[in-house]
């Protein structure tokens, strides 16, 4: 019995552990292969790739693909457009989620559970369900081919996840804390901004990373709502530039990497929040 | 006091509910309305056509094709990312050295956009120098230039494989969250009682992972309904509509052919399917909650 416990405590001496490690390492390599392939292709000339040298290790550092991409003014426009959408839409959806989340957590009323569930359910529907009426709405408002439709739609589509996350977080703020503040003469608004929000910074971090990543990566809405090149977002631009650099595989690789850079950075630095948000959003639905 | 509360409820709920109502709920109901018209997307002149659009669905071979493909996609979503995600989670949970690095590697694809994932896999399937053909030729010594995405027999499955590559990490972290929720005492007891790893996993761990499995399966099915971006960039639904899904078919009818009335009817069908899945999902979650309370 004792050595069983000991072997559980010291995994490095267990042959099973070694087998599992090797197994995982092989799977991890297979999993990384596609990403490594893009990285390699971005460091090679089109001729090298066409000659089948994509999967060999680069002998010299060839950075012209990245130079070409970074010097392309279209890329600058796409990046700027996407930022102009992602930043206000992320902030907007979180602010609205804070408001509704606070009511559902701290000021429940008859039927508030049903209303809450109905809003959260919105998270799961395919966007195709509201595509046509929104197209007509923004056409009627004369906002097609501007950045506004994407900002509005991402704020609205973000409300379910933001409401869910903020309600769950506010629910952990002790009721006694709120009551004490109210007795001291604080308004609900002051309780929200001075008591509940400062305690909810992790939730805000989770939501900012999730929302920013999703909005940055979005493709369908700008595909429907924009036409001219100077209104395109980065993912839409990526698809159109593919035509322009159709057989320039190396340039396409560099493009993909640069377009993914902001979300990769968010992922590397906020991975903990990102994973937490993904699992919380999924499990507590 | 109670009056104050009501005032605050109203003041705080109006902004989010107004935005959600105008941009999500109202469009949803308008979709129902357009689905019984023959609107073409631009003209002000359209009329009521009753259930013609829905009848047309039954005579549209492309719709049938898309519906069958969507079901195939759902089934694959339940089997591949769920199975692979479970295996990865169990392996990583066994206190293997470097567990957190492995976790990050398998999770990484989730933060990439479907467009980038699609592009990466277009290269994998590239007939001349793509990773897949290169690997096959290396193993068999042959000279395959098979165009995986250009053949009706393989296009859909090639896209599903790419999609699964991205979704597996999500399934894995949900299973991992489920595994950490299992009380360590229980695992300890297994060790003390001398249960083998196989017994422990089959008789203790897997039953306790039921809630996580419900979530993973439901998310997989729902996400497969949403599968559009990756399809758009990899095959566009082709060749010859062989990889069309309902989401893709709806887009093509509405924004390529401007059959907005018919497109709305397809979106109503999509809505009903999603609604059924969400109902089943919420009910399962509630059942699971009851077991654990």
């Amino acid at each position: 019995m004792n050595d069983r416990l000991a072997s559980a405590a010291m995994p490095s001496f267990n042959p099973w552990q070694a087998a599992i490690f090797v197994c995982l390492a092989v799977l991890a390599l297979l999993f990384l292969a596609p990403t490594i392939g893009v990285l390699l292709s971005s460091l090679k000339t089109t001729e090298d790739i066409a000659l089948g040298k994509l999967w060999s290790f680069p002998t010299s550092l060839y950075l012209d693909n990245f130079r070409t991409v970074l010097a392309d003014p279209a890329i600058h426009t796409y990046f700027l457009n996407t930022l102009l959408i992602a930043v206000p839409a992320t902030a907007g959806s979180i602010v609205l989620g804070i408001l509704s989340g606070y009511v559902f957590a701290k000021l429940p009323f008859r039927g508030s559970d049903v209303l809450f569930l109905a809003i959260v359910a919105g998270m799961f529907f395919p966007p195709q369900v509201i595509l046509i009426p929104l197209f007509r709405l923004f056409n009627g408002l004369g906002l097609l081919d501007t950045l506004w439709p994407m900002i509005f739609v991402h704020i609205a589509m973000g409300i379910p996840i933001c409401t869910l996350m903020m309600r769950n977080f506010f629910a952990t703020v002790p009721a006694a804390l709120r009551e004490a503040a109210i007795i001291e003469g604080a308004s609900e608004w002051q309780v929200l901004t001075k008591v509940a929000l400062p305690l909810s910074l992790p939730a805000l971090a989770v939501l900012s990373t999730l929302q920013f990543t999703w909005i940055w990566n979005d493709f369908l809405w700008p595909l429907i709502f924009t036409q001219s090149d100077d209104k395109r977002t980065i993912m839409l631009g990526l698809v159109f530039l593919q035509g322009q650099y159709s057989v320039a595989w190396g340039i396409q690789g560099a493009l993909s990497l640069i377009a993914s850079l902001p979300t990769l950075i968010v992922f590397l630095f906020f991975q903990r929040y990102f994973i937490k948000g993904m699992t919380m959003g999924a499990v507590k639905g | 006091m109670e009056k104050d509360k009501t005032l605050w409820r109203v003041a705080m709920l109006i902004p989010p509910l107004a935005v959600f109502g105008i941009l999500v709920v109202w469009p949803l109901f308008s979709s129902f309305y357009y689905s019984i018209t023959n609107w073409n997307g631009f003209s002000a002149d359209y009329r009521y056509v009753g259930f013609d659009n829905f009848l047309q669905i039954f005579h549209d071979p492309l719709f049938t094709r898309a519906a069958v493909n969507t079901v195939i996609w759902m089934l694959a979503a339940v089997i591949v990312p769920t199975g692979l995600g479970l295996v990865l989670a169990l392996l990583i949970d066994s206190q293997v050295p470097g567990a957190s690095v492995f976790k990050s590697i398998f999770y990484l694809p989730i933060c990439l956009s479907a467009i980038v994932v699609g592009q990466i896999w277009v290269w994998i399937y590239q007939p001349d120098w793509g990773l897949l053909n290169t690997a096959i030729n290396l193993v068999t010594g042959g000279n395959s230039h098979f165009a995986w995405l250009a053949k009706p027999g393989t296009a859909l499955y090639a896209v599903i494989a790419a999609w699964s590559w991205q979704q597996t990490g999500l399934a894995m972290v949900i299973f991992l969250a489920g595994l950490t929720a299992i009380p360590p005492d229980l695992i300890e007891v297994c060790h003390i009682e001398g249960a083998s790893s196989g017994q422990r996993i089959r008789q203790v761990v897997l039953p306790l992972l039921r809630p996580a499995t419900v979530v993973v399966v439901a998310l997989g099915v729902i996400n497969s309904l949403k599968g559009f971006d990756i399809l758009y960039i990899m095959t566009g639904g082709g060749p010859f509509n062989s990889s069309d899904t309902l989401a893709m078919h709806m887009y093509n009818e509405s924004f390529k052919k401007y059959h907005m009335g018919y497109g709305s009817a397809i979106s109503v069908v999509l809505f009903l399917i999603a609604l059924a899945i969400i109902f089943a999902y919420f009910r399962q979650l509630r059942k699971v909650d009851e077991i654990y309370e």
Side-chain angles (χ1 to χ4, degrees):
Chain A
M1 186 163 82
N2 272 337
D3 43 47
R4 251 189 228 114
L5 285 177
S7 70
M10 282 199 287
S12 45
F13 287 98
N14 190 331
W16 265 107
Q17 291 287 337
I20 288 175
F21 182 84
V22 172
C23 211
L24 273 174
V26 171
L27 283 170
L29 264 181
L30 276 175
F31 239 78
L32 273 178
T35 321
I36 294 173
V38 178
L39 195 65
L40 287 176
S41 74
S42 71
L43 295 170
K44 296 193 172 172
T45 61
T46 308
E47 293 78 49
D48 273 353
I49 297 169
L51 285 173
K53 291 186 195 152
L54 171 62
W55 297 99
S56 60
F57 202 76
T59 43
S60 62
L61 204 55
Y62 175 77
L63 292 172
D64 273 11
N65 294 326
F66 285 96
R67 283 198 196 100
T68 311
V69 170
L70 287 174
D72 191 332
I75 295 288
H76 303 167
T77 313
Y78 302 154
F79 252 83
L80 185 65
N81 287 345
T82 318
L83 269 180
L84 285 174
I85 293 166
V87 173
T90 302
S93 58
I94 293 177
V95 167
L96 293 179
I98 288 172
L99 292 176
S100 51
Y102 184 78
V103 175
F104 289 126
K106 290 290 169 224
L107 303 168
F109 51 93
R110 252 173 65 107
S112 65
D113 278 356
V114 178
L115 186 60
F116 172 71
L117 263 189
I119 293 177
V120 170
M123 186 155 81
F124 299 118
F125 286 99
Q128 273 78 4
V129 166
I130 54 174
L131 212 53
I132 290 174
L134 284 178
F135 175 77
R136 188 178 159 100
L137 174 73
F138 290 119
N139 190 23
L141 293 172
L143 291 179
L144 284 190
D145 212 21
T146 69
L147 301 181
W148 290 108
M150 277 81 77
I151 297 176
F152 288 138
V153 168
H154 282 302
I155 289 178
M157 299 288 281
I159 288 177
I161 181 81
C162 294
T163 303
L164 169 72
M165 210 77 86
M166 291 317 299
R167 188 205 72 144
N168 287 349
F169 225 88
F170 287 148
T172 64
V173 175
L177 224 51
R178 171 180 164 270
E179 275 148 30
I182 297 275
I183 289 167
E184 298 276 320
S187 67
E188 294 291 348
W189 180 253
Q190 283 166 325
V191 176
L192 170 59
T193 53
K194 301 260 164 66
V195 182
L197 265 188
L199 289 173
S200 308
L201 294 180
L204 297 183
V206 167
L207 282 176
S208 321
T209 52
L210 276 185
Q211 282 291 88
F212 181 83
T213 305
W214 282 337
I215 298 171
W216 187 271
N217 287 342
D218 177 48
F219 174 72
L220 177 63
W221 298 113
L223 175 72
I224 301 292
F225 293 141
T226 66
Q227 268 146 19
S228 38
D229 191 46
D230 61 344
K231 292 293 178 293
R232 279 181 192 140
T233 60
I234 186 72
M235 289 308 151
L236 196 60
L238 202 63
V239 174
F240 278 89
L241 281 182
Q242 269 196 327
Q244 189 179 325
Y245 299 115
S246 67
V247 283
W249 303 98
I251 292 182
Q252 286 194 25
L255 258 175
S256 291
L257 280 177
I258 288 174
S260 309
L261 210 55
T263 52
L264 283 174
I265 290 171
V266 166
F267 176 76
L268 283 178
F269 286 97
F270 302 102
Q271 196 189 139
R272 204 160 51 87
Y273 294 127
F274 197 85
I275 292 182
K276 200 172 166 197
M278 277 291 199
T279 43
M280 255 175 85
V283 177
K284 302 242 170 109
Chain B
M1 195 76 175
E2 196 47 41
K3 215 182 106 199
D4 265 17
K5 266 186 161 181
T6 310
L7 274 178
W8 280 114
R9 276 183 200 122
V10 174
M12 287 180 171
L13 273 183
I14 280 181
L17 287 187
V19 173
F20 195 68
I22 294 170
L23 294 172
V24 179
V25 181
W26 176 77
L28 180 61
F29 287 104
S30 320
S31 273
F32 292 139
Y33 170 69
Y34 293 128
S35 70
I36 50 170
T37 70
N38 64 354
W39 189 44
N40 67 5
F42 295 99
S43 91
D45 172 43
Y46 58 91
R47 61 191 171 78
Y48 168 76
V49 294
F51 287 96
D52 284 7
N53 288 325
F54 291 95
L55 289 175
Q56 193 189 332
I57 280 177
F58 291 105
H59 303 288
D60 177 2
L62 291 184
F63 179 90
T64 317
R65 188 69 202 247
V68 170
N69 284 347
T70 304
V71 172
I72 293 177
W73 194 313
M74 282 179 178
L75 289 177
V78 172
I79 298 163
V80 186
T82 310
L84 207 55
L86 178 63
V87 170
L88 289 178
L90 287 173
L91 289 179
I92 286 176
D93 192 55
S94 63
Q95 289 160 320
V96 69
S100 69
V101 176
F102 284 127
K103 199 165 124 180
S104 303
I105 289 175
F106 294 121
Y107 195 68
L108 177 78
I110 283 284
C111 78
L112 298 176
S113 79
I115 295 300
V116 170
V117 171
Q119 185 164 41
I120 291 174
W121 282 75
V122 166
W123 294 343
I124 290 183
Y125 297 126
Q126 210 281 342
D128 301 320
W129 45 260
L131 178 60
L132 189 57
N133 281 341
T134 308
I136 288 175
N137 292 340
L138 211 65
V139 173
T140 63
N143 188 23
S144 159
H145 291 276
F146 194 79
W148 300 89
L149 291 171
K151 295 286 190 297
T154 52
L156 176 70
Y157 300 97
V159 177
I160 293 177
W163 182 83
S164 302
W165 177 70
Q166 191 180 27
Q167 297 286 317
T168 298
L170 180 61
M172 178 197 72
V173 286
I174 296 172
F175 279 125
L176 275 174
L179 283 171
T180 36
I182 295 177
D185 311 2
L186 219 55
I187 305 300
E188 194 101 329
V189 168
C190 293
H191 283 298
I192 293 167
E193 296 288 323
S196 70
S197 310
Q199 281 172 325
R200 191 184 70 225
I201 289 172
R202 245 176 296 128
Q203 289 166 15
V204 179
V205 176
L206 286 186
L208 286 174
L209 275 183
R210 212 183 103 88
T213 313
V214 169
V215 172
V216 170
V217 168
L219 275 190
V221 172
I222 289 167
N223 284 342
S224 67
L225 259 192
K226 292 182 183 172
F228 174 82
D229 304 8
I230 196 166
L231 201 59
Y232 185 96
I233 188 169
M234 288 183 75
T235 67
F240 314 114
N241 301 90
S242 62
S243 61
D244 250 353
T245 59
L246 287 177
M248 194 75 206
H249 190 48
M250 185 271 166
Y251 170 81
N252 282 335
E253 287 293 332
S254 312
F255 293 95
K256 286 269 166 72
K257 301 181 189 163
Y258 294 105
H259 299 156
M260 296 255 179
Y262 184 52
S264 296
I266 301 173
S267 76
V268 168
V269 173
L270 258 178
F271 169 78
L272 293 176
I273 298 172
L275 191 69
I277 297 167
I278 292 161
F279 255 107
Y281 175 39
F282 279 7
R283 270 192 52 172
Q284 281 293 324
L285 274 188
R286 197 148 290 174
K287 256 194 226 158
V288 164
D289 270 352
E290 277 163 16
I291 295 171
Y292 286 88
E293 264 162 19

